[in-house]
Amino acid sequence: MTLEDLLHLTRRRIGSLVLALVVCVLASMLFAFASPSSYTATAQTYLRVKIAGDPTQSALSHYNAAQLAALKTDAVVPVFTSAAVAQRVVDSLKLDETAEEFASSVSAERVPETVSVKVSVTASSSHQAQVLADEVIRQAAVEVKGLEGDESPVELVLLSSAELVSATRSPALVTCVAVGLLAGIVLGYVWILIQELLDKSLRGPEEVREALSVPLLGALPRVPSLRWLSRGAEIKMEEQLRVARTNVLHAISQGDRRVIVITSAGPQEGASVTAASLARVLALSGHRVVLVGGDLRAPSTTGLQDSPGLADVLTGSAYLSESLVKGPVTDLELLPAGRTPANPSELLGAPMMRDLLRELAADRLVVIDAPPILRFTDGVVLAAHAGGVILVARAGRTSADDLREAALAVEQGGGRMLGVVLNNVSEPGGKRKAVRSSAVSTESVSV
């Protein structure tokens, strides 16, 4: 897998990656707050060697003192973690723990190239850790004086109090979040790769051609939202819709009916939006078009569910003339689905439906927005009345098996497949030539 493939995969599965990151970061924060916290405070002591006599008169005395201090520093480091010093601290502060337990929480190390020792103490609170670190140095100074004797020039001096520096919390929230981010990225990409391996959905035009032998009429680009559609995305969408329109006109010119059923294999695959978009661009090219809401179960094409529509005309409760609504562009009319009937399939398959479509198609192109083929038989019933069926597939959702099963259902029901429109394509530009090659050379095809 190349870097370009990885970037493309990330764009397509960004939701999964973000979800993995959020879950891992929240889990790490929960772990940080739920885990018993401990604090480590650090203090620093300086080993000093007193100079006998008048220190201003002897450079040799200073040199000898410095040499002795360097030698003694390594020797006194184990004193800080000894049981004797721990017992002194326990007795001094009246701690509720044994000397051995306290000694295990103390560590000491020499600061490189100095005669200083850094002492760290871990406790359950920041203040307690600071107090204990300073007390360890004080008691270690007493212990060293006892070991060296009162005449010894060696002594320990508190150089940097632990109370001057904030104690370090463990587990640290920042560290946990960083680990959560890293784990989220790793697990996110593992999850993405697993999804990719298990995903059998169609991705691009080539996969549609491999799944079915019918023409690919168009590949519509993915847009995040029509409400926030950028100018560049709008231009690409319009261009691909015009290509699809040309291919559709070429396909239906070979039949004897001016009725097109637009449906999909399953729900939420973009059939209604595609039907409305194709009806609009067909009307913009100078054809009289009527967009029929053929989904009597869940009307969605026109948004005029409360108005009389197809179901009302078929049941005789409304006239066709009063049910037709002027569309948003010239030469486009809308026939809403109307009120939901109790028997949609029987109503759509009745002779009155055939007569209605014949009347509409006398001087118009009829585009029917039909429900999903694999969920209801309505689309197959409508296909028998139409000049052809266009299946809408959604890249990343529709599988090749579902698309083949839907096409087979149309053919077995007596319908004629015109082709497939693939929407939600990530990079339609790279497939433009392939789609365009199946179109006729001009857009002036008459029907």
Side-chain angles (χ1 to χ4, degrees):
M1 177 179 290
T2 64
L3 179 59
E4 183 179 359
D5 294 333
L6 185 62
L7 292 175
H8 179 63
L9 180 61
T10 302
R11 285 195 298 269
R12 287 198 293 105
R13 301 284 188 179
I14 188 65
S16 298
L17 182 59
V18 170
L19 180 60
L21 284 172
V22 171
V23 170
C24 288
V25 169
L26 290 178
S28 66
M29 294 176 65
L30 181 63
F31 171 79
F33 287 116
S35 300
S37 58
S38 61
Y39 296 84
T40 301
T42 301
Q44 196 165 322
T45 184
Y46 179 81
L47 191 144
R48 182 173 63 186
V49 175
K50 294 181 180 179
I51 301 175
D54 186 358
T56 62
Q57 302 297 322
S58 176
L60 182 60
S61 297
H62 282 281
Y63 175 77
N64 291 335
Q67 292 293 88
L68 179 60
L71 293 174
K72 284 292 185 179
T73 301
D74 289 328
V76 300
V77 168
V79 175
F80 295 94
T81 57
S82 65
V85 171
Q87 188 62 58
R88 287 179 178 273
V89 174
V90 169
D91 295 340
S92 173
L93 299 179
K94 295 181 173 55
L95 301 180
D96 191 19
E97 58 183 324
T98 65
E100 290 76 12
E101 292 173 341
F102 175 71
S104 64
S105 66
V106 181
S107 63
E109 61 177 351
R110 178 181 177 179
V111 180
E113 300 181 0
T114 68
V115 290
S116 299
V117 178
K118 183 170 66 175
V119 178
S120 299
V121 178
T122 301
S124 58
S125 71
S126 175
H127 177 69
Q128 184 181 16
Q130 292 169 329
V131 171
L132 291 174
D134 288 346
E135 187 64 21
V136 166
I137 289 179
R138 296 190 187 98
Q139 297 302 329
V142 176
E143 183 69 16
V144 168
K145 180 58 68 176
L147 293 174
E148 293 285 333
D150 293 337
E151 302 300 325
S152 174
V154 177
E155 62 180 358
L156 296 176
V157 180
L158 183 64
L159 180 62
S160 176
S161 173
E163 296 183 354
L164 299 178
V165 182
S166 299
T168 303
R169 184 184 185 278
S170 179
L173 180 60
V174 174
T175 303
C176 288
V177 170
V179 172
L181 282 172
L182 181 60
I185 292 174
V186 174
L187 294 178
Y189 275 105
V190 170
W191 185 19
I192 286 174
L193 291 174
I194 292 175
Q195 285 180 307
E196 194 70 12
L197 291 174
L198 298 178
D199 190 2
K200 303 301 182 183
S201 62
L202 301 167
R203 289 297 174 191
E206 292 302 326
E207 295 182 18
V208 174
R209 294 189 184 94
E210 292 175 2
L212 288 178
S213 58
V214 299
L216 177 65
L217 302 176
L220 306 183
R222 173 189 299 172
V223 291
S225 171
L226 292 177
R227 184 182 303 173
W228 301 107
L229 194 60
S230 66
R231 182 60 181 167
E234 184 179 5
I235 292 173
K236 289 181 179 179
M237 175 66 79
E238 288 296 317
E239 180 182 352
Q240 291 299 312
L241 282 172
R242 287 194 293 269
V243 171
R245 175 187 66 193
T246 303
N247 289 336
V248 169
L249 290 174
H250 177 63
I252 62 176
S253 68
Q254 301 174 12
D256 57 353
R257 294 184 187 176
R258 295 155 56 91
V259 180
I260 308 168
V261 172
I262 298 182
T263 183
S264 59
Q268 299 180 355
E269 295 184 2
S272 296
V273 174
T274 302
S277 301
L278 280 176
R280 181 179 64 84
V281 294
L282 284 168
L284 289 174
S285 67
H287 295 82
R288 288 192 65 191
V289 181
V290 58
L291 175 60
V292 179
D295 190 347
L296 304 184
R297 302 172 187 272
S300 60
T301 301
T302 64
L304 302 172
Q305 291 87 347
D306 295 331
S307 303
L310 177 61
D312 304 281
V313 174
L314 294 177
T315 56
S317 59
Y319 292 105
L320 176 62
S321 57
E322 66 182 12
S323 301
L324 286 172
V325 180
K326 182 174 175 56
V329 298
T330 305
D331 293 328
L332 176 61
E333 294 175 290
L334 308 176
L335 179 57
R339 296 172 180 83
T340 305
N343 53 344
S345 297
E346 291 78 4
L347 202 59
L348 294 174
M352 62 188 76
M353 182 65 185
R354 182 181 63 248
D355 297 338
L356 174 62
L357 292 178
R358 185 180 294 115
E359 179 182 350
L360 290 172
D363 57 351
R364 304 176 182 90
L365 284 176
V366 182
V367 177
I368 305 177
D369 171 26
I373 291 287
L374 300 184
R375 175 166 289 192
F376 307 109
T377 61
D378 303 12
V380 175
V381 171
L382 287 169
H385 298 314
V389 176
I390 296 175
L391 278 178
V392 176
R394 183 177 180 86
R397 184 178 181 88
T398 309
S399 68
D401 290 340
D402 286 346
L403 192 64
R404 283 191 289 264
E405 188 175 346
L408 180 61
V410 170
E411 293 171 355
Q412 289 178 340
R416 170 188 167 219
M417 281 293 303
L418 296 179
V420 177
V421 172
L422 180 67
N423 63 28
N424 200 44
V425 180
S426 299
E427 298 178 357
K431 311 298 182 183
R432 217 173 274 160
K433 291 183 180 179
V435 175
R436 191 182 296 273
S437 64
S438 63
V440 294
S441 58
T442 67
E443 294 188 10
S444 59
V445 178
S446 60
V447 181

